[in-house]
Amino acid sequence: MAVVTGDSEPADFPHDPLLPWLLSIKKALEEWKSGNSISVEDLDKLLSACIATFKHNAKYHNDTRFLKIWFLYLEGREDFDDVYREMEENKICLDHSLRYEWYALFLEAKGKWQDAHKVYQIGISRKAEPLDRLKGAQTLFFDRMSERIRAFSPHEICSGDSIQFGKSSINPWSSSTMKDILKKMNPQITKYDGYHSSNKAYSGKVPISSLKNSSRNKIIEIGGKKYLIKGCAGQGGFAQVFKAYVDSNPDDVVALKIQKPAFPWEFHMYRQLDKRISGHHRSSFGFAHRMHLYSDCSILICDYLPQGTLQDVINSYVVMGKSMEEVLCMYYTIEMCYMLEALHGVGIIHGDFKPDNLLIRYAREELTEEGFADRSGPWNDQGLCLVDWGRGIDLLLFPENTEFIGDCRTSGFRCIEMQEKKPWTFQVDTYGLCVVVHMMLHNSYMEVEKKASFDGGYIYLPRSSFKRYWNVDLWKDLFTKLLNVSPGSDNKILLRDLRNSFQDYIYSTPQLLKKLKELLAKQRASLCTA
């Protein structure tokens, strides 16, 4: 779910009748996601009642929180076009670019590409703000459409223009590159423990195509086991993730990632993580148990973490009109630096580093002061878990010092090198880290600007200013170094030094460590739905 940016005026919460509705909807969503008693119909009724209550109130016509309620309601409706027409009639956020960007992405996911194009055009013609953001989203849309056209072009596939690994710059996500890699790696992938392949289409009693976001209590059979679907835990452009009970046992919960067309690459990345990441760090990157590959789809069976994502944590502050406490921002920054330090050190790039893909982990035992510095004891179980490895890059499959070209096409997370059409490597991840930190600090995506430096050159820095009461030196050092990585610099050492600077600051101030423990306990009590 998208973060609500700070476009609307801060609400005067004691006199804000929308706030209780937001809290009720947030609670209902948490109960629905956890498989509790609330049904999709109950959630729809709550959203519909909220819309009916405030749609004629001009105070909320430009409130992005109310816009989000409309889209939550719209996403579950067959008559979504009628709902959007009603938004138009009530002039809901007509001047906000988010309105057009969200609806265009929704239409694109449904395959209504021409309609999505029209939505972008309407928003731009109305000069919806921020206009540059909307135009950027439209450009990415055009890029995705071009990629789809090329992917289905027989000429592209047969012309012999596939990228050779001998080249110094490669698009790791292009259809030709992935085709070459999978062909090369197929003998190894088929030998992985838990890999099951069939030349036939999935033929279970319940068709995979019948599973929707609202699907519950359907049973699908995979590899001799039955999985009771308890709800949709996430959705992307080509895949859906469902929470499921193995053989209807509520104590044995897994995540089923169903992807069309079949895509075994993510399973390769998980098995490489098993091989390369030490036991101390391994729990930070998710586990895959099995992969079932069919001619029409693939089903990846993974651990299920019910505590939500870092995006959920950020949104919990946004909906209250607050910002995350600085010490909590520092803690999650330390965790992310740990992750990328471990990954990049063994030749792995995640490629899609964003808060939706960072699951929350909680310690089984109470946190203490001991163990924070070296992540031992309960602190080893506490933190984040990076998932969704479909865009992962295995550097060991490429010549040494290979640089990459290509665009991740994720709005808000395109590194500077992608924006300027320059080659990149680890920047795709470290830029993502900077965006996540910016979202925690400012409740908004990061915009970068080029500034003159003392040596007569220039550097990139976030456009948003730092608050005076923050530890400005630490944050400025992080953004300056990660947004301006020197060619040939050791990425692992850079991340380690940044991590140590934040960690030493917290550890040297006992009251900060105490406050951190209290905030994590409070977060768990308010957000954990397990």
Side-chain angles (χ1 to χ4, degrees):
M1 193 175 295
V3 66
V4 179
T5 61
D7 293 333
S8 56
E9 290 298 318
D12 184 9
F13 289 107
H15 304 289
D16 182 14
L18 180 62
L19 180 58
W21 286 86
L22 295 174
L23 297 176
S24 297
I25 291 168
K26 176 176 175 291
K27 182 179 179 182
L29 281 169
E30 290 171 350
E31 292 180 355
W32 176 70
K33 285 181 180 179
S34 63
N36 290 341
S37 57
I38 189 167
S39 66
V40 176
E41 291 75 19
D42 293 334
L43 183 57
D44 272 354
K45 288 178 182 178
L46 179 59
L47 293 168
S48 178
C50 178
I51 288 171
T53 302
F54 296 102
K55 67 181 180 181
H56 298 304
N57 189 334
K59 175 181 177 181
Y60 295 105
H61 284 180
N62 289 312
D63 192 322
T64 51
R65 300 174 305 160
F66 191 41
L67 175 67
K68 188 173 182 180
I69 300 302
W70 278 91
F71 275 102
L72 283 172
Y73 180 63
L74 178 147
E75 286 174 359
R77 303 287 300 184
E78 294 290 336
D79 59 343
F80 56 85
D81 49 350
D82 292 334
V83 178
Y84 190 76
R85 197 174 299 115
E86 189 178 1
M87 290 175 59
E88 184 78 14
E89 292 170 355
N90 287 281
K91 299 181 179 180
I92 304 299
C93 291
L94 287 178
D95 299 326
H96 283 271
S97 64
L98 280 176
R99 167 185 159 150
Y100 306 99
E101 185 177 344
W102 287 353
Y103 192 51
L105 287 170
F106 172 80
L107 292 172
E108 182 184 347
K110 287 188 167 293
K112 296 180 175 292
W113 301 337
Q114 288 186 336
D115 292 340
H117 180 211
K118 291 178 183 177
V119 171
Y120 282 119
Q121 287 181 313
I122 291 171
I124 291 171
S125 68
R126 290 174 174 173
K127 294 182 170 53
E129 291 293 338
L131 186 57
D132 287 344
R133 175 193 170 106
L134 186 57
K135 287 181 177 179
Q138 185 191 42
T139 299
L140 292 176
F141 168 75
F142 288 147
D143 289 343
R144 291 192 295 273
M145 292 304 101
S146 298
E147 186 71 21
R148 288 186 175 110
I149 292 169
R150 285 196 296 271
F152 289 104
S153 168
H155 174 73
E156 274 298 308
I157 295 173
C158 303
S159 64
D161 291 334
S162 60
I163 299 171
Q164 300 301 311
F165 288 174
K167 292 187 177 182
S168 59
S169 294
I170 298 170
N171 182 346
W173 302 312
S174 72
S175 56
S176 57
T177 301
M178 288 308 304
K179 183 181 176 183
D180 286 345
I181 289 177
L182 287 172
K183 183 178 180 180
K184 177 182 177 182
M185 295 301 300
N186 188 60
Q188 178 178 334
I189 293 175
T190 56
K191 294 177 182 178
Y192 286 144
D193 181 42
Y195 181 84
H196 306 276
S197 179
S198 171
N199 292 325
K200 298 179 180 179
Y202 177 81
S203 58
K205 293 180 180 178
V206 176
I208 292 295
S209 58
S210 70
L211 297 179
K212 309 295 182 185
N213 287 357
S214 57
S215 294
R216 285 178 179 276
N217 299 322
K218 289 186 176 183
I219 295 178
I220 63 172
E221 298 181 27
I222 310 169
K225 290 190 176 185
K226 295 181 178 180
Y227 295 86
L228 178 64
I229 301 296
K230 297 305 295 179
C232 182
Q235 181 173 357
F238 301 97
Q240 285 179 296
V241 180
F242 293 94
K243 174 184 177 182
Y245 294 164
V246 181
D247 293 328
S248 299
N249 180 4
D251 295 324
D252 192 357
V253 188
V254 295
L256 303 179
K257 184 171 184 177
I258 302 173
Q259 186 154 348
K260 296 183 179 181
F263 190 61
W265 177 251
E266 189 166 4
F267 193 63
H268 166 77
M269 293 303 300
Y270 273 113
R271 286 296 174 260
Q272 290 304 307
L273 289 166
D274 294 337
K275 182 179 180 180
R276 301 184 206 178
I277 301 293
S278 66
H280 184 68
H281 292 293
R282 185 63 189 86
S283 59
S284 296
F285 303 104
F287 293 93
H289 304 292
R290 288 180 298 284
M291 160 68 82
H292 292 267
L293 196 75
Y294 302 94
S295 63
D296 59 339
C297 69
S298 57
I299 304 176
L300 185 66
I301 302 172
C302 302
D303 278 355
Y304 177 77
L305 273 67
Q307 291 91 359
T309 67
L310 186 55
Q311 181 71 75
D312 295 326
V313 177
I314 294 169
N315 284 346
S316 71
Y317 284 91
V318 173
V319 77
M320 296 294 291
K322 299 179 180 179
S323 296
M324 190 183 293
E325 296 273 1
E326 187 183 22
V327 68
L328 193 57
C329 295
M330 289 184 174
Y331 171 69
Y332 284 128
T333 300
I334 292 168
E335 280 292 295
M336 291 186 290
C337 286
Y338 255 124
M339 286 178 162
L340 296 187
E341 181 185 340
L343 282 181
H344 296 174
V346 296
I348 292 177
I349 296 172
H350 183 264
D352 196 16
F353 198 89
K354 58 185 181 181
D356 307 80
N357 291 333
L358 290 163
L359 304 182
I360 302 295
R361 295 187 298 127
Y362 290 110
R364 292 183 289 272
E365 301 174 9
E366 185 176 351
L367 297 172
T368 61
E369 280 79 5
E370 294 77 23
F372 172 77
D374 59 359
R375 298 178 87 230
S376 61
W379 288 101
N380 189 44
D381 298 324
Q382 183 81 31
L384 298 170
C385 179
L386 184 59
V387 296
D388 196 350
W389 291 88
R391 284 189 170 270
I393 302 172
D394 183 351
L395 293 178
L396 299 188
L397 298 180
F398 299 92
E400 190 175 356
N401 299 322
T402 295
E403 292 184 306
F404 299 104
I405 57 174
D407 198 316
C408 68
R409 296 189 175 90
T410 303
S411 180
F413 290 89
R414 299 167 65 236
C415 64
I416 292 168
E417 288 73 16
M418 289 178 185
Q419 295 175 40
E420 298 188 347
K421 301 189 184 304
K422 296 178 180 178
W424 50 266
T425 50
F426 298 116
Q427 296 97 322
V428 65
D429 285 346
T430 52
Y431 187 86
L433 186 154
C434 289
V435 176
V436 177
V437 172
H438 192 278
M439 292 169 73
M440 292 191 297
L441 290 171
H442 297 283
N443 290 347
S444 65
Y445 292 105
M446 179 175 67
E447 293 183 16
V448 174
E449 60 183 359
K450 186 185 292 188
K451 295 186 176 181
S453 59
F454 293 113
D455 60 2
Y458 59 85
I459 58 171
Y460 294 94
L461 287 174
R463 191 181 300 274
S464 301
S465 58
F466 302 106
K467 294 181 180 177
R468 290 192 300 274
Y469 54 83
W470 288 345
N471 193 312
V472 174
D473 290 341
L474 282 179
W475 295 119
K476 191 170 184 180
D477 189 48
L478 179 134
F479 284 109
T480 301
K481 288 180 177 177
L482 291 186
L483 293 178
N484 302 276
V485 178
S486 302
S489 60
D490 191 319
N491 192 68
K492 184 177 179 180
I493 293 176
L494 173 60
L495 289 164
R496 184 195 64 196
D497 291 345
L498 289 170
R499 169 177 59 81
N500 284 336
S501 65
F502 284 97
Q503 198 164 293
D504 292 346
Y505 176 71
I506 294 177
Y507 196 66
S508 65
T509 314
Q511 60 266 34
L512 279 181
L513 190 52
K514 180 181 178 182
K515 185 177 182 180
L516 173 61
K517 292 192 302 173
E518 293 172 351
L519 288 169
L520 289 170
K522 183 180 178 181
Q523 174 185 296
R524 183 172 190 172
S526 62
L527 291 180
C528 183
T529 59

